[in-house]
Amino acid sequence: MEGRRISLSNLDKVLYPETGFTKGEVLHYYATVAEPLLAQIHDRAVSFLRYPDGPDGQLFFTKNPPPGAPDWVTTTPVPRSEDPSAEQVVVADMATLMWSANLVVEFHIHQWPAGSPAVADRMVLDLDPGAPATVAECSAVALWLRERLAADGLDAYAKTSGSKGLHLAVPLEPTPSSQVSAYAKQLAQEAERALPDLVVHRMAKALRPGKVFVDHSQNAAAKTTAAAYTLRARARPTVSAPVSWTEVEACRTPADLVFLADDIGPRLDRDGDLFAPLADPAQGRPLPRARP
């Protein structure tokens, strides 16, 4: 692959028993979506949620480069309080993508690019429904947030989380993560005031049944979010899939916004990369400062 020799293993191993989806099919999926996925992650420190025995096996989150990483895999410094010299993998090319995929991973990224720790070029709002609320309620909240963001001159793009909810992503001019976090918290609080029967901005589980938790915390510099196009470690090979606002507006049931690996190729052929603006620095807009 691109002049690199990569050993791929256990291709017939079933990773998703509910559908029979194998490790070979996981690798084929990532090869199929490499162009838009790499556009989202190629210049970012990547964390891996590994699930080598499928979603019912052991899951473990790793930030450090995995043992045995080839010497051609690029890394970038990501200092942490417990390890000032820490580094993380940067998935910069197809070879690194396929090496990573062979480890069986979800791809998670910061909101800031490599080399600019704590200077974000995007904001993320994670809309997480508390049962019996579903992604349909998340869609209603997403539409309100889209209009609210537009009032501040910001464009929002939606994707499924690959689990129960939605993610909204906003391209920004480079902005300190602390400012992005403050603004995102302000938005979540405004949403709760405007939609008190539908939204909660605090994480406390007691507050969440039947409501949508607008999680603003993932804008903190240390936090990561599942990348667009990553597979998720769920019962089926669901994908964190970019969706159009027409699809969000039309959502009435959870099934309306569930996309599996086999759905993504045809969606890309039909719609292109709906998250392409997030990878274009020219699309970044200035962030209003959070009000006191």
Side-chain angles (χ1 to χ4, degrees):
M1 177 66 66
E2 298 178 335
R4 309 295 191 186
R5 182 173 295 275
I6 306 168
S7 177
L8 305 179
S9 58
N10 302 318
L11 300 185
D12 293 330
K13 184 177 184 178
V14 174
L15 293 176
Y16 294 89
E18 187 170 308
T19 62
F21 203 72
T22 66
K23 183 177 178 183
E25 289 173 300
V26 166
L27 291 165
H28 176 74
Y29 166 76
Y30 279 122
T32 300
V33 302
E35 183 175 352
L37 175 57
L38 284 172
Q40 296 299 318
I41 68 176
H42 81 282
D43 63 342
R44 294 176 190 272
V46 173
S47 299
F48 298 133
L49 178 65
R50 298 185 60 184
Y51 56 110
D53 295 314
D56 295 330
Q58 183 183 15
L59 279 67
F60 50 101
F61 200 74
T62 177
K63 294 184 177 182
N64 298 325
D71 58 10
W72 47 262
V73 169
T74 301
T75 61
T76 188
V78 184
R80 299 191 285 269
S81 57
E82 70 278 14
D83 186 1
S85 62
E87 297 194 343
Q88 292 180 218
V89 169
V90 175
V91 181
D93 50 39
M94 182 72 164
T96 306
L97 175 64
M98 298 313 295
W99 166 78
S100 303
N102 187 62
L103 300 174
V104 188
V105 300
E106 294 181 0
F107 294 93
H108 291 249
I109 55 175
H110 299 279
Q111 314 317 328
W112 42 265
S116 301
V119 180
D121 62 359
R122 62 181 64 176
M123 177 177 69
V124 170
L125 296 169
D126 180 0
L127 310 185
D128 186 10
T134 70
V135 73
E137 285 74 21
C138 291
S139 295
V141 176
L143 292 168
W144 186 92
L145 286 166
R146 179 196 186 194
E147 294 303 313
R148 174 63 186 84
L149 287 160
D152 277 347
L154 299 173
D155 297 319
Y157 300 86
K159 67 181 178 74
T160 67
S161 67
S163 181
K164 299 179 295 181
L166 287 177
H167 295 161
L168 298 189
V170 179
L172 300 175
E173 292 182 352
T175 306
S177 295
S178 58
Q179 292 182 22
V180 180
S181 294
Y183 177 76
K185 182 176 181 179
Q186 171 192 307
L187 281 179
Q189 291 170 332
E190 287 188 26
E192 183 177 297
R193 289 194 295 269
L195 305 169
D197 295 330
L198 193 57
V199 172
V200 61
H201 84 278
R202 288 179 289 171
M203 192 178 294
K205 290 184 178 180
L207 302 175
R208 295 173 60 179
K211 295 188 177 183
V212 175
F213 170 43
V214 178
D215 186 357
H216 51 85
S217 69
Q218 293 181 33
N219 295 287
K223 294 292 189 71
T224 60
T225 305
Y229 301 106
T230 188
L231 282 165
R232 302 303 306 268
R234 299 295 186 265
R236 295 184 291 164
T238 54
V239 174
S240 185
V243 293
S244 70
W245 283 108
T246 298
E247 290 175 306
V248 175
E249 291 168 353
C251 180
R252 297 293 181 269
T253 70
D256 292 336
L257 289 180
V258 174
F259 301 100
L260 304 183
D262 290 342
D263 298 323
I264 305 304
R267 288 178 61 81
L268 286 167
D269 291 340
R270 184 190 72 200
D271 302 326
D273 179 10
L274 294 172
F275 250 44
L278 274 299
D280 179 2
Q283 299 300 314
R285 296 293 181 263
L287 183 74
R289 289 187 179 274
R291 292 190 294 271

